[in-house]
Amino acid sequence: MFGGRRVEIKTPEQLLAMRRAGKVVAQALMATTAEVRPGITTGELDAIAAGVIASAGATPSFLNYGEEHGEGGFPGVICVSVNDEVVHGIPGDRVLREGDLVSIDCGAIVDGWHGDAARSVFVGQPATAEAAELCRVTHDALWAGIGAAKLGGRVTDISAAIEGLVRSRDVDYGIAENLVGHGIGSQMHMEPNVPNEGKPGRGPRVVEGMALAIEPMLTLGTPVTATLDDDWTMVTRDGSWACHWEHTISVTADGLWVLTAEDGGAAMLERLGLPFGPLAD
């Protein structure tokens, strides 16, 4: 899925197209998470996302993804992963229940350029305090990784920051194995891989024009995953709950630009004391 391609460097105009795609993703995620409630099906959430993407004149990144490789294309506009499902949950007739932890992953294409992001929410109140903390830590790990992306640094500086945040907590969270962030641009999955753990100072340098999808995926138990018979849905091997947060970012001469945040990341970056550097917004 990732191998064999050099890192794609975008022009400012291409990054602006990615920002347009990122805003569509942000709008689709806001619309779907706002409707998460007991009794709604994951298929109904998929229809909401499809409507937002279509009304924006964009194209879903996920729908039929993989069919060009003979893998059988993904059948949804979004991935909806519930409780022990880590990623790639297929939307359908599953009914959400009070306390469920729901991770929604969405991608959109504008003028040939992709945006990709994910967020996790609970159906009503979290089932347990441990699940609530898992969601908070995964979100914190995402922003730790974003904050570690600096011009001249290395891609694994992001990885080390994510792992460092996770390991600083009292709970021994699993960092889902063999699942990584990625480069993104004219394709959804591109070089370089962005692991969620590892030593800093390795991998390609972070340069202007690079775009990365950073996406920690944590579990309350084992990091080991398995793929269900649908050939898409990845679950924890031990049945423990999982959580997924993701943003597509770029780093400019002035700072960080979160392409899939509605405000470009301005509010969160200010809270963390990190520089905000949009090309336009």
Side-chain angles (χ1 to χ4, degrees), residues 176-250:
E177 66 179 19
N178 301 321
L179 291 171
V180 298
H182 51 91
I184 182 170
S186 60
Q187 297 183 34
M188 186 168 65
H189 292 114
M190 308 184 76
E191 295 290 345
N193 285 348
V194 186
N196 291 312
E197 56 187 331
K199 296 182 178 179
R202 300 181 179 183
R205 290 198 181 277
V206 177
V207 298
E208 289 188 73
M210 180 184 284
L212 302 171
I214 299 173
E215 49 179 325
M217 292 154 277
L218 305 183
T219 78
L220 282 172
T222 180
V224 182
T225 63
T227 303
L228 298 184
D229 291 342
D230 62 21
D231 292 329
W232 285 104
T233 308
M234 300 188 74
V235 300
T236 58
R237 180 75 71 174
D238 63 359
S240 61
W241 281 21
C243 187
H244 177 205
W245 283 85
E246 177 184 15
H247 270 307
T248 297
I249 73 154
S250 190

Side-chain angles (χ1 to χ4, degrees), residues 85-171:
E85 297 172 350
V86 187
V87 287
H88 306 158
I90 297 175
D93 59 6
R94 180 171 184 166
V95 177
L96 298 183
R97 303 185 185 281
E98 180 77 23
D100 283 344
L101 175 53
V102 184
S103 297
I104 300 176
D105 193 356
C106 181
I109 311 167
V110 171
D111 296 331
W113 296 92
H114 291 256
D116 184 13
R119 61 189 303 181
S120 293
V121 296
F122 287 94
V123 182
Q125 295 301 308
T128 65
E130 291 79 12
E133 186 63 14
L134 170 69
C135 192
R136 281 192 290 269
V137 171
T138 310
H139 181 261
D140 289 350
L142 168 65
W143 285 95
I146 291 172
K150 295 179 173 61
L151 293 182
R154 299 279 187 176
V155 165
T156 64
D157 297 347
I158 298 167
S159 312
I162 291 171
E163 182 180 11
L165 185 286
V166 174
R167 301 304 180 211
S168 72
R169 305 303 168 96
D170 293 335
V171 178

Side-chain angles (χ1 to χ4, degrees), residues 33-66:
T33 55
E35 292 300 322
V36 168
R37 63 182 185 276
I40 196 168
T41 67
T42 57
E44 288 172 317
L45 294 176
D46 190 69
I48 291 168
V52 172
I53 292 170
S55 66
T59 303
S61 297
F62 296 175
L63 186 63
N64 299 321
Y65 179 85

